[in-house]
Amino acid sequence: MDPDPYTTPDLEPGGGVPPGSTPPESGQTSGLSAPEPSTSHHFPGTGVVAVIVTVLLVVLFTAVAVGIIVSMI
């Protein structure tokens, strides 16, 4: 739950704080917590299949859309 702004010390109107009210040293996170696994330098087979299926679906959709438009003319 958020603290009541009327009872929070050093809080100026509008929500700001005067200089020096914040702690000079605050916790920071830098770097990685664990080493990242090495990545492969090739495109995975499942990615190739996904791209091929997507291209086929786009071609099929386009062919059906063109067919519908031509049949309306």
Side-chain angles (χ1 to χ4, degrees):
M1 184 187 284
D2 291 334
D4 184 13
Y6 295 109
T7 60
T8 304
D10 292 336
L11 192 62
E12 294 178 338
V17 293
S21 293
T22 56
E25 295 181 26
S26 58
Q28 297 180 357
T29 304
S30 63
L32 299 174
S33 59
E36 290 192 17
S38 68
T39 57
S40 60
H41 297 288
H42 66 281
F43 200 68
T46 54
V48 173
V49 172
V51 168
I52 291 172
V53 168
T54 303
V55 168
L56 289 175
L57 285 174
V58 168
V59 169
L60 179 65
F61 177 78
T62 304
V64 169
V66 169
I68 291 172
I69 291 172
V70 168
S71 69
M72 292 173 49
I73 295 177

